[in-house]
Amino acid sequence: MTTRVIIVDDQAMVRAGFAALLAAQSDIDVVGDAADGVRGVELSRRMHPDVVLMDVRMPEMDGLEAARRLLDPPPGVTHRPKVLMLTTFDVDDYVYEALRAGASGFLLKDAPPADLISAVRVVAAGEALLAPSVTRRLIADFARQRPAPRTDRTALRLNGLTPRETEVLELIARGLSNQEIADRLILAEQTVKTHIGRVLAKLELRDRAQAVIFAYESGLVTPGER
């Protein structure tokens, strides 16, 4: 299976560089690029990519609004690509809000080429890109800046998890991979995947990224804890 990708970034050099790198991979097909969010949404609706690499700050329409439109399309539009946000170290609430909206994670623009290639494959496979330590730190920062009181509905949703599922959710929120969770809990990796699937279903969450946000906002995990 070939992963179809489009690149949305207002810097022509970034688009060209990322496109050349990804197109050189036998399992990735770059099907287009756009210089702003408006054109990015239009291109995605036309080309039906599997993954959209989306810059955070752009003219016309920023990456957050573009991600929202792709992940929550109007009636009649059924295609929902995976969205991977592109950002720099000076990230802000845009990235956090994008994760809440359903983006599959974010990648630093100055990441090594191998990380970009891996990120596209990981996101295309349905995983969230939340493993790197910098991502854990940034998500914790956002959660600290944007505390949300635990509502009765949130508490009820948490109470619907088994103790093991709650434990798995905590470890997901701390940025552990499936294998790391399996090692920590002395479980088979496939068993961990099963638990994660049940957690997402019970909490009505799209993916691992939203599970991390839920864990922080519900108070299950406190930023800075180990």
Side-chain angles (χ1 to χ4, degrees):
M1 292 290 291
T2 299
T3 298
R4 294 165 57 83
V5 177
I6 67 172
I7 302 164
V8 186
D9 193 294
D10 62 340
Q11 298 181 50
M13 290 286 286
V14 171
R15 297 198 307 274
F18 282 10
L21 177 65
L22 294 174
Q25 311 307 308
S26 61
D27 59 335
I28 298 175
D29 185 13
V30 178
V31 296
D33 64 81
D36 62 66
V38 173
R39 291 175 179 79
V41 172
E42 293 173 351
L43 182 64
S44 179
R45 298 261 165 84
R46 190 168 69 251
M47 300 303 295
H48 293 177
D50 300 301
V51 177
V52 176
L53 296 180
M54 182 77 73
D55 188 21
V56 173
R57 296 189 184 92
M58 292 181 291
E60 300 295 329
M61 180 190 294
D62 63 41
L64 173 59
E65 181 58 29
R68 282 179 176 147
R69 295 193 184 192
L70 291 178
L71 296 166
D72 188 18
V77 177
T78 58
H79 179 67
R80 288 183 177 84
K82 306 290 185 182
V83 177
L84 179 62
M85 305 303 294
L86 299 171
T87 187
T88 57
F89 273 109
D90 58 335
V91 293
D92 52 28
D93 284 350
Y94 277 120
V95 177
Y96 179 60
E97 292 297 335
L99 289 173
R100 293 188 67 192
S104 295
F106 59 93
L107 183 73
L108 297 175
K109 283 188 179 182
D110 61 356
D115 285 3
L116 172 64
I117 297 167
S118 174
V120 169
R121 290 171 176 156
V122 166
V123 169
E127 291 289 335
L129 194 72
L130 296 174
S133 60
V134 64
T135 306
R136 293 198 292 267
R137 178 179 60 79
L138 290 172
I139 289 177
D141 286 346
F142 291 135
R144 186 183 301 110
Q145 295 164 11
R146 308 272 311 240
R150 180 188 292 200
T151 64
D152 290 342
R153 183 169 185 272
T154 299
L156 187 62
R157 289 164 74 188
L158 274 177
N159 289 339
L161 301 181
T162 66
R164 178 62 87 190
E165 289 165 353
T166 301
E167 195 171 14
V168 168
L169 176 58
E170 288 182 26
L171 296 177
I172 290 174
R174 299 192 194 289
L176 273 67
S177 67
N178 288 355
Q179 186 57 61
E180 289 170 337
I181 294 173
D183 293 343
R184 178 78 64 89
L185 300 181
I186 315 178
L187 297 172
E189 186 174 0
Q190 185 57 49
T191 302
V192 171
K193 291 180 180 178
T194 299
H195 283 311
I196 293 172
R198 289 172 179 164
V199 167
L200 297 180
K202 288 183 178 181
L203 297 180
E204 301 174 352
L205 302 172
R206 274 197 196 107
D207 57 24
R208 198 184 192 98
Q210 288 198 326
V212 171
I213 299 302
F214 179 89
Y216 278 118
E217 291 192 333
S218 68
L220 178 66
V221 176
T222 301
E225 287 184 345
R226 295 294 180 186

